[in-house]
Structure formats: C-alpha cells, structure tokens
Amino acid sequence: MQSGGSYFERDAFANMLGVTLVQNQTDEVVVEMELDDAHMNGLGGVHGGVIFSLADIAFATACNQFHTAIGIQADIRYLNKAVGVKLIARARNISKSNKLSNFEILVTDEEQTKIACFTGLAYHLVRN
C-alpha cells in the first residue's frame, strides 16, 4: 500500500514550492505554504498558478494515499483575494469507485477566507 506521506515526500515540485504536509488522514489531507513576493502576480495578488498548484498537490497526496492514481480532470474556481502570508489546502474524497475517485479541495488563507474551490477526478492505476 502506498501512503500519501511517502507520495508527498517524493513530490519534488511541492518541495521546490515550499509546501508542507500538515495532516495526512484518511478523511482529509492538509497542505500549506508560506507566501512571498515570488508568488505574486502583476497586480500584487497571489498568482492563480500558485493557488492551483497548492490545491493540486493536496489532491495528488490525497488520491495516492491507498493506491497509485493519476489526475484525469481538475478545475478551480477562484473566490476571493488571499490575505496574509500563508495558504492552506484541505482535500477530501467525496466519492469513489473501483477505478475513479472524486476530490474536493478548499484553499483558504490564514484568516480562513475561502480563496478557491478545486475539484479533481483521479483514475486508479493500481489497486493495492
């Protein structure tokens, strides 16, 4: 069985971004990252690609907790501007079958403002 923690530890992109795994439980995966000037867009807000990447890392960690899976669809809705210097992404499985799992990831800032809602569909490559 592949654990989400070992998947996360091998994620070089998450490491490069400075993403931290805060919680890795069956019902919820939580990751976070500290923001700095390098994460900002031309208007001074957090770049949408940064927000998407954080949510995608939470999604990948969650869907690889118990079997090898790949994301086959993802979408995001940006809701509010982030305040502060930290983003948090919480991933939870909302449905699953033998081959597919649906996840919802909520990205918030340190004030608990909802920044984005990401949904992802994962295909199970190997069932362990």
Side-chain angles (χ1 to χ4, degrees):
M1 175 166 73
Q2 177 173 308
S3 77
S6 62
Y7 170 85
F8 182 84
E9 291 163 6
R10 292 188 309 271
D11 190 330
F13 186 64
N15 185 54
M16 182 194 73
L17 289 177
V19 177
T20 303
L21 180 62
V22 176
Q23 180 176 314
N24 187 26
Q25 296 179 343
T26 302
D27 59 343
E28 186 175 59
V29 167
V30 179
V31 297
E32 64 183 27
M33 69 182 300
E34 298 288 327
L35 301 171
D36 61 33
D37 291 342
H39 299 112
M40 300 304 151
N41 63 27
L43 298 175
V46 179
H47 196 287
V50 171
I51 297 167
F52 187 96
S53 292
L54 181 66
D56 191 49
I57 291 163
F59 166 53
T61 303
C63 71
N64 279 284
Q65 280 186 314
F66 304 108
H67 48 267
T68 303
I70 57 169
I72 58 173
Q73 182 277 328
D75 68 76
I76 193 165
R77 287 167 306 287
Y78 299 99
L79 308 170
N80 290 292
K81 182 178 178 178
V83 176
V85 296
K86 185 187 291 187
L87 288 180
I88 302 109
R90 297 176 187 283
R92 61 184 186 90
N93 183 270
I94 55 176
S95 72
K96 62 184 169 182
S97 68
N98 285 337
K99 287 290 185 183
L100 300 171
S101 293
N102 284 282
F103 290 82
E104 181 177 74
I105 297 83
L106 181 63
V107 179
T108 61
D109 63 16
E110 58 194 290
E111 303 285 322
Q112 297 303 308
T113 303
K114 294 176 182 176
I115 304 306
C117 183
F118 174 110
T119 56
L121 178 64
Y123 178 76
H124 307 167
L125 294 174
V126 177
R127 291 290 289 172
N128 293 333

